C-alpha cells in the first residue's frame, strides 16, 4: 500500500505567505526523512486565506532538488486551465530533474470560480480536458506531431524534453461524479477518489462501476484506486480526537459554502447534487465526520481503519490530508506525519 501526504501548502490564520512556504517545505523535509512514499501537491487559485500552492510543478521542481528518494505527485493539475504545450514541457522537465520520480495526477476541478478567473468556460471543461490530455500524450510519445481539435490547433510540433521515463510519467485521474467512474475504467486509468463531497460508503458502488468498466474494456488487473482522506494521528485517542476538531469542522463549513455557491454557476450538473451536498457539509457534526469522512486515532486505531478501507475499497494507496482546515499547528502536523510513517505504514505493506 502506497502512503502519500496530500499537501496544499496551507496558510494558517495570520501567517504570512513567506512563513507558509517555509513551514510547508519543513514538512516536506520531515516526510522525506520519515520514509513517506509520495508528497502530493494540490493546485489552488484565488484562495489567499487557505493556500500558497498555485503553481504545483514549480513546487515539484523545488522538492525534487531537496529530496532524493520520495516520489512527487501532482494532485491534480487542472488540465483545462493549461496551455497543453507549456504544461507538457514543464512536466517532462520536472520528470528529468527528479530522475523519474514524478507522478502526474490530472483532473478538471469541481469549482467554476477558478475558470471564471482564468476566462475559461467551466461548461467546456470536459472537452478541454480531453483535448489537453490527448495533446500531452502525443507530445510525449511522438518526435513531431500535429493536432486539430475544437480548442487547439498545432502542426509539426516537436516537444523538448521528452519524458525521462518511457512513455511518460505515470498518469492518475481524479474522479468525483458517477459517470466519470465508468469513463475512467473504460480508459484504463488509475484513479483518485475522495470523501470531501460524499461518504466513504458511497464509494463502494462507484468503484464497482469503475472495475466492471475496467474489466469489460479488457484491461489487465482490476484498476488501481487511491483514496484522498483527512488523517490525524496522535499518541492518545483523546489527543487524536481533540487536536484536529476545530480545523476539521472549519474545513467542512468552508467547503460546504463553496460547493453550495457553485450549484448555480455555469457548468454545474444536476447529477452532482451540489446544493444538497454543500448544505450537508455545512451542517455535519464531528461525530458523523469521524464515522464517515475522516481517519483519526492512535497509530493502532488508524492502522485498523486503513486496513478495513483497503479491503473494502480495494485501495492501492492513500493521500493523507494532514491539515485540511489549515488550523492544526505545525508541530502537531509533524507528529501525526511521523507516527503515520513509523507506526502505521509498516503494518500495511503487502
Amino acid at each position: 500500500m502506497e502512503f502519500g501526504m496530500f499537501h496544499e501548502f496551507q496558510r494558517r490564520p495570520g501567517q504570512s505567505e513567506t512563513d507558509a512556504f517555509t513551514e510547508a517545505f519543513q514538512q516536506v523535509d520531515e516526510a522525506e526523512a520519515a520514509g513517506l512514499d509520495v508528497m502530493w501537491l494540490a493546485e489552488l487559485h484565488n484562495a489567499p486565506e487557505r493556500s500558497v500552492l498555485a503553481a504545483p510543478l514549480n513546487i515539484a521542481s523545488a522538492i525534487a532538488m531537496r529530496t532524493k528518494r520520495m516520489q512527487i505527485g501532482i494532485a491534480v493539475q487542472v488540465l483545462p486551465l493549461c496551455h497543453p504545450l507549456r504544461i507538457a514541457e514543464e512536466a517532462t522537465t520536472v520528470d528529468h530533474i527528479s530522475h523519474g520520480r514524478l507522478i502526474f495526477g490530472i483532473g478538471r476541478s469541481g469549482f467554476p470560480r477558478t475558470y471564471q478567473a482564468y476566462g475559461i468556460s467551466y461548461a467546456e471543461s470536459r472537452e478541454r480536458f480531453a483535448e489537453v490530455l490527448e495533446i500531452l500524450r502525443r507530445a510525449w510519445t511522438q518526435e513531431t506531431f500535429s493536432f486539430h481539435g475544437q480548442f487547439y490547433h498545432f502542426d509539426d510540433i516537436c516537444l523538448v524534453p521528452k519524458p525521462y521515463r518511457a512513455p511518460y510519467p505515470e498518469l492518475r485521474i481524479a474522479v468525483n461524479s458517477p459517470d466519470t467512474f465508468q469513463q475512467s475504467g473504460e480508459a484504463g486509468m488509475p484513479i483518485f477518489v475522495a470523501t470531501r463531497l460524499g461518504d466513504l460508503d458511497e464509494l463502494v458502488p462507484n468503484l464497482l462501476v469503475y472495475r466492471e468498466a475496467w474489466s469489460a474494456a479488457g484491461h489487465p488487473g482490476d484498476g488501481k484506486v487511491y483514496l484522498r482522506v483527512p488523517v490525524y494521528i496522535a499518541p492518545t485517542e483523546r489527543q487524536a480526537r481533540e487536536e484536529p476538531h476545530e480545523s476539521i469542522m472549519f474545513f467542512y463549513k468552508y467547503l460546504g459554502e463553496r460547493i453550495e455557491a457553485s450549484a448555480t454557476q455555469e457548468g454545474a450538473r444536476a447529477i452532482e447534487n451540489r446544493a444538497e451536498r454543500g448544505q450537508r457539509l455545512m451542517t455535519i457534526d464531528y461525530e458523523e465526520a469521524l464515522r464517515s469522512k475522516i481517519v483519526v486515532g492512535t497509530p493502532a486505531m488508524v492502522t485498523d481503519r486503513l486496513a478495513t478501507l483497503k479491503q473494502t475499497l480495494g485501495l492501492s494507496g492513500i493521500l493523507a490530508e494532514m491539515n485540511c482546515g489549515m488550523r492544526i499547528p505545525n508541530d502537531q502536523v509533524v507528529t501525526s506525519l511521523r507516527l503515520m510513517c513509523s507506526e502505521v505504514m509498516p503494518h500495511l505493506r503487502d
Side-chain angles (χ1 to χ4, degrees):
M1 187 172 180
E2 177 188 275
F3 278 79
M5 175 179 175
F6 179 78
H7 212 323
E8 295 184 345
F9 274 50
Q10 288 88 352
R11 187 181 183 187
R12 291 189 287 106
Q15 190 176 45
S16 71
E17 292 182 349
T18 298
D19 287 345
F21 276 111
T22 298
E23 190 170 277
F25 278 119
Q26 288 174 349
Q27 293 172 9
V28 168
D29 295 342
E30 289 283 354
E32 169 80 353
L36 189 73
D37 296 324
V38 190
M39 179 58 64
W40 291 99
L41 303 173
E43 179 185 349
L44 295 165
H45 302 280
N46 304 307
E49 77 289 349
R50 178 179 175 186
S51 168
V52 293
L53 214 174
L57 283 171
N58 287 7
I59 299 295
S61 289
I63 293 175
M65 294 302 294
R66 63 195 296 148
T67 61
K68 299 297 182 184
R69 177 200 52 77
M70 186 167 59
Q71 289 186 284
I72 307 151
I74 309 299
V76 294
Q77 190 77 53
V78 183
L79 290 191
L81 301 182
C82 303
H83 189 285
L85 299 186
R86 181 69 177 182
I87 211 69
E89 293 166 336
E90 291 183 357
T92 52
T93 297
V94 175
D95 196 35
H96 278 272
I97 291 171
S98 67
H99 291 172
R101 289 184 285 141
L102 177 68
I103 305 173
F104 198 56
I106 54 177
R108 294 187 302 117
S109 174
F111 291 98
R113 74 172 186 170
T114 299
Y115 283 77
Q116 294 167 359
Y118 273 59
I120 295 174
S121 169
Y122 187 68
E124 299 172 350
S125 63
R126 290 174 177 270
E127 293 79 10
R128 286 182 176 275
F129 177 90
E131 281 199 15
V132 174
L133 179 56
E134 176 61 23
I135 292 165
L136 291 178
R137 284 173 163 154
R138 293 191 192 187
W140 289 337
T141 59
Q142 299 176 20
E143 187 62 29
T144 61
F145 78 97
S146 299
F147 180 88
H148 296 280
Q150 181 180 352
F151 304 103
Y152 297 101
H153 299 270
F154 303 116
D155 287 299
D156 298 324
I157 298 297
C158 178
L159 176 118
V160 177
K162 297 299 183 188
Y164 181 89
R165 290 187 296 174
Y168 41 72
E170 180 184 350
L171 296 176
R172 300 180 190 175
I173 185 170
V175 297
N176 286 306
S177 52
D179 53 334
T180 55
F181 284 88
Q182 174 82 24
Q183 295 163 4
S184 300
E186 291 172 350
M189 294 280 289
I191 60 173
F192 301 115
V193 296
T195 60
R196 285 187 170 182
L197 300 186
D199 296 340
L200 288 164
D201 290 343
E202 293 179 36
L203 293 174
V204 175
N206 286 331
L207 291 178
L208 179 61
V209 169
Y210 167 72
R211 291 190 165 108
E212 287 178 345
W214 178 285
S215 297
H219 302 297
D222 61 358
K224 292 186 176 182
V225 176
Y226 300 86
L227 174 66
R228 188 183 73 190
V229 60
V231 174
Y232 190 79
I233 310 170
T236 70
E237 182 176 358
R238 179 178 177 180
Q239 287 176 282
R241 287 175 60 92
E242 292 182 356
E243 289 173 356
H245 180 275
E246 178 191 0
S247 188
I248 287 170
M249 296 310 295
F250 169 82
F251 173 72
Y252 284 121
K253 185 176 185 298
Y254 173 97
L255 182 64
E257 291 171 349
R258 280 149 185 78
I259 291 172
E260 184 183 42
S262 73
T264 57
Q265 294 179 330
E266 180 192 28
R269 301 182 302 155
I271 193 176
E272 296 164 342
N273 298 319
R274 289 171 180 254
E276 178 185 338
R277 290 182 181 275
Q279 274 294 321
R280 183 179 176 188
L281 288 177
M282 284 188 283
T283 58
I284 194 171
D285 64 42
Y286 192 48
E287 292 302 319
E288 183 182 354
L290 288 170
R291 287 193 304 271
S292 64
K293 301 180 79 65
I294 65 179
V295 177
V296 166
T298 64
M301 293 169 62
V302 169
T303 298
D304 289 345
R305 183 82 187 281
L306 290 178
T308 299
L309 290 173
K310 179 182 179 183
Q311 179 66 30
T312 303
L313 303 178
L315 297 180
S316 295
I318 64 163
L319 293 72
E321 299 186 66
M322 311 300 287
N323 189 12
C324 60
M326 306 91 73
R327 278 154 170 73
I328 303 175
N330 181 54
D331 62 331
Q332 293 178 359
V333 173
V334 169
T335 296
S336 180
L337 172 63
R338 288 173 176 170
L339 288 172
M340 184 175 75
C341 292
S342 64
E343 299 189 34
V344 177
M345 281 174 48
H347 298 289
L348 291 169
R349 297 301 197 190
D350 290 330

